[in-house]
Structures are given as C-alpha cells and as structure tokens.
C-alpha cells in the first residue's frame, strides 16, 4: 500500500473495515475528515476487532453519537483567540495555528470540527497579523506551532515562519506539536529538521503517540534525527478507552518514549469533543492508572495527567493525591503500594 487512504471504499479495499460497514463509514466520513497513511495502515491487524491502532484511525459509527456535554470547541480556543490563528490562553505563551490539515485524522481529535481537507489555512495576510500580535505582546516567551500539524508544511515554508518568529526578541522558545514522526516518518528529512531550528532560540518538539506499537524502528530513526540535531523532545498522549487504558500499555509506551530520548510530558484526559464519548475514561480510572504507573516506572517515565477544563479555563493536573495534612500532627502519606505512612 503506497497511498493515503481517505475514502470508505479504500478502507474496505485495504481490509481495514468489512464491506457491510460501507454505509456507516460514509456517514462518518461525510462529517469528519479521514486519512490513514500507509505507515499507519501497516500497523493495523485486520484480524483483531479491538486493534488499538485501528481504533485511533478507522472511522466508527459511534462518532455520530454526540452526548449533551460535548462541544465543538471543547477547550475554548475561540474564547482566547485575539486574531485568527492565535490562541492566547496563558500569559507567557501562545498557540500559532498555521494549518488546519493533518497527515492523519485521529478519531478522538479535540479540534475535529476545525480540521480537514479544504479547511482554511492561514493566508499570508493573516499570518502577518498573527505574528504582529506576538511581536506586540512582550510577555509572550514561547510560541507553540500547532494546527492541524505544522510539520505537513514544506521545509522552506516552515523555515520562513520560524525565522520570522526568531526575529521577535522576547520570544525565546519555539515549540512544535506534531504526529508526523509517527504517521509518516520518512517526511522527517534533514531539511525539515533544519527548518525547525531558530537562530538564537530554543526549539522543542512535542510528539503525539498513544500506543507503544506506534514507535516502530522507522519512527525511532526519525525521532533520532530530530534529537541528534540538538532539539529536545517531549511526548503528548491521550488516555483512550480500548487503546491505552491499562497500566501495562502505558508503562510500555512511556518506557518507549524514554528509550527514544523523548521525555514523557502530558497524558491528557479525553476532551469533550463531539462523537468521542466511546473513547473517554473517567478521571478516577485515569488516576488509578497513574498510581499504578508511579509504582512501575522511574521518574523519567512519568507524564503529568492533565484535564483541559471545558470552556477555555486552562489545563490542570488531575493525578492522584498522596498526602493528607493533619495540622500540627503532621501528615499521612500513601506510598506506591497504597500503605499510609505517618510523616
């Protein structure tokens, strides 16, 4: 298989869905974007009805069920967008949404109402306005390029944007959020890696992966190309029912990140995006998994479990607590196996 799969008929021809699902697939594809790269398709086991890679990328009729608490803009991007392309939720950093397309489309995407083929990209005039906003905001220390996936841009265009950001004196950190290394590792070329680096600035790359099988040998080579260029990497994952909602899978995923020289950063609780309720766990389940992880892997492999408060109120850690303060008597601290100890 050498092409990106976008049509329901192509998914069926590739063996990723049975023919009798054609109608359901078409209904989902009419609402939400579909794209599966050859590299992702090769990871899917068509004989496994519960394959965790297929669950992330192959459309499911459950996506057409929207619960009352779900919303088109679940983390409130629009409420914090002073100009198109900028989200300024926190004082010292902004999101710069260059593109609204991705190499693949995750079925649980929190921006699924905003991304897909044909969605508007930032025009040169709108990019000028976005960068003018950053330049006029001296407290902005970090610019985070997201979307969509900014790394789908050519090295030339990406490099031009990075150089323009680098010309803003008060911006010190440039961060990229991407899935490209995982879903199309051959696109991580030396030219693209060079384009990520801003003269006089520090570049970070945050890689999104949710299952250890995603970190194939080819992906590890692509990641090494970034890290060997002096660009530190962190991870972002989403806690997904049927994909990574067990301690063994999370342990393997976080260990794989560390082996690749990627520091586990965030484990996101599932956002209230439309049609994603079948992916979401409870926060209590997530906290239990984080407790299990704390007892199984070193600090290097511990992500922070976070919730983006619906409505645009920001991201907060929601991991388990280990200490009960007891006033002057001190505190009771719970160890990693659940025994309470006096402090």
């Amino acid at each position: 298989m050498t092409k990106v799969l976008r049509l329901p008929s192509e998914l069926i021809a590739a063996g990723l869905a049975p023919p009798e699902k054609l109608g359901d697939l078409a209904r989902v594809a009419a609402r939400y974007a579909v794209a599966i790269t050859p590299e992702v398709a090769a990871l899917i086991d068509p004989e496994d009805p519960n394959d965790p890679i297929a669950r992330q990328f192959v459309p499911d009729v459950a996506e057409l069920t929207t619960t009352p608490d779900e919303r088109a803009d679940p983390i409130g991007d629009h409420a914090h967008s002073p100009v198109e392309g900028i989200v300024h939720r926190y004082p010292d950093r902004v999101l710069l949404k260059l593109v609204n397309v991705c190499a693949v489309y995750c079925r649980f995407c929190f921006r699924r109402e905003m991304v897909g083929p044909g969605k508007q990209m930032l025009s040169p005039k709108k990019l000028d306005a976005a960068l003018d906003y950053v330049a006029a905001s001296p407290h902005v220390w970090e610019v985070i390029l997201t979307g969509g996936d900014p790394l789908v841009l050519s090295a030339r265009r990406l490099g031009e944007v990075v150089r323009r950001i680098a010309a803003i004196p008060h911006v010190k950190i440039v961060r990229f959020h991407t899935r490209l290394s995982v879903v199309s590792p051959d696109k991580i070329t030396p030219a693209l890696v060079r384009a990520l680096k801003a003269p006089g600035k520090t570049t970070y790359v945050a890689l999104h992966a949710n299952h250890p099988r995603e970190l194939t040998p080819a992906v590890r080579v692509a990641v090494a190309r970034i890290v060997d260029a002096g660009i530190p990497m962190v991870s972002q994952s989403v806690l997904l029912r049927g994909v990574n909602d067990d301690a063994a899978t999370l342990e393997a995923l976080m260990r794989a990140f560390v082996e690749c020289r990627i520091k586990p950063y965030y484990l996101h609780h599932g956002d209230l995006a439309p049609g994603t309720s079948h992916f979401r766990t409870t926060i209590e389940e997530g906290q239990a998994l984080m407790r299990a992880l704390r007892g199984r892997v070193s600090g290097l492999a511990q992500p922070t479990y976070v919730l983006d408060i619906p409505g645009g109120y920001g991201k907060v850690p929601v991991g388990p607590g280990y200490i009960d303060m007891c006033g002057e008597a001190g505190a009771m601290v719970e160890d990693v196996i659940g025994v309470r100890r006096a402090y």
Side-chain angles (χ1 to χ4, degrees):
M1 188 184 307
T2 59
K3 62 177 289 187
V4 177
L5 306 175
R6 300 185 185 276
L7 302 176
S9 57
E10 293 172 339
L11 300 179
I12 291 170
L16 302 185
E20 60 269 23
K21 294 288 187 180
L22 179 60
D24 288 342
L25 292 173
R27 290 165 58 208
V28 177
R31 179 165 183 184
Y32 301 118
V34 176
I36 300 177
T37 60
E39 293 86 350
V40 169
L43 289 177
I44 295 173
D45 179 1
E47 302 302 318
D48 181 1
N50 300 309
D51 182 82
I53 309 300
R55 186 165 171 80
Q56 292 183 69
F57 299 106
V58 177
D60 189 304
V61 71
E63 295 174 54
L64 299 177
T65 299
T66 301
T67 60
D69 55 347
E70 292 176 341
R71 52 187 74 186
D73 183 17
I75 68 169
D77 279 354
H78 292 320
H80 297 280
S81 184
V83 297
E84 188 169 341
I86 292 287
V87 178
H88 195 174
R89 183 177 288 108
Y90 306 102
D92 71 335
R93 56 204 182 273
V94 299
L95 300 182
L96 174 58
K97 297 195 287 187
L98 281 179
V99 297
N100 291 320
V101 294
C102 298
V104 296
Y105 293 100
C106 304
R107 308 323 306 165
F108 50 88
C109 178
F110 69 98
R111 290 195 179 117
R112 62 193 329 219
E113 299 277 11
M114 310 170 198
V115 299
K119 302 286 184 174
Q120 188 174 12
M121 300 171 65
L122 273 191
S123 66
K125 184 176 180 180
K126 290 175 179 177
L127 177 59
D128 289 345
L131 294 178
D132 285 346
Y133 176 86
V134 176
S137 305
H139 46 292
V140 172
W141 172 77
E142 180 180 20
V143 174
I144 303 166
L145 288 90
T146 181
D149 193 323
L151 267 59
V152 301
L153 293 173
S154 69
R156 179 192 59 80
R157 185 171 181 193
L158 203 57
E160 289 174 355
V161 174
V162 170
R163 284 190 292 273
R164 293 181 66 182
I165 295 171
I168 302 173
H170 53 266
V171 174
K172 305 299 182 183
I173 308 296
V174 181
R175 192 197 324 172
F176 294 87
H177 285 188
T178 184
R179 205 136 160 63
L180 195 69
S181 301
V182 164
V183 303
S184 196
D186 62 312
K187 301 289 179 61
I188 308 300
T189 63
L192 185 67
V193 173
R194 287 194 298 270
L196 303 179
K197 302 187 75 170
K201 312 297 179 181
T202 299
T203 296
Y204 279 79
V205 171
L207 180 67
H208 175 185
N210 298 312
H211 194 276
R213 273 172 44 201
E214 294 175 52
L215 297 172
T216 64
V219 171
R220 293 177 185 235
V221 169
V223 164
R225 188 169 289 134
I226 296 171
V227 179
D228 287 345
I231 300 173
M233 294 187 70
V234 297
S235 76
Q236 296 206 94
S237 304
V238 183
L239 181 58
L240 299 168
R241 188 173 300 283
V243 174
N244 56 17
D245 60 332
D246 65 275
T249 299
L250 280 181
E251 175 185 354
L253 175 61
M254 299 306 154
R255 288 187 187 277
F257 281 139
V258 175
E259 291 164 8
C260 292
R261 296 176 287 171
I262 300 171
K263 175 65 182 82
Y265 182 38
Y266 280 150
L267 176 65
H268 292 268
H269 187 73
D271 292 315
L272 297 174
T276 63
S277 61
H278 55 298
F279 283 110
R280 284 194 299 277
T281 67
T282 65
I283 289 177
E284 290 78 11
E285 288 170 316
Q287 290 174 328
L289 287 167
M290 290 303 297
R291 281 183 177 275
L293 203 60
R294 175 64 60 180
R296 296 168 77 117
V297 296
S298 79
L300 283 175
Q302 298 288 339
T304 300
Y305 180 40
V306 293
L307 170 71
D308 244 312
I309 303 173
Y313 300 104
K315 191 182 291 96
V316 292
V318 290
Y322 293 91
I323 188 165
D324 291 328
M325 301 305 297
C326 305
E328 294 182 1
M332 295 299 294
V333 184
E334 188 172 312
D335 66 22
V336 295
I337 61 172
V339 178
R340 290 168 62 82
R341 312 285 184 180
Y343 175 74

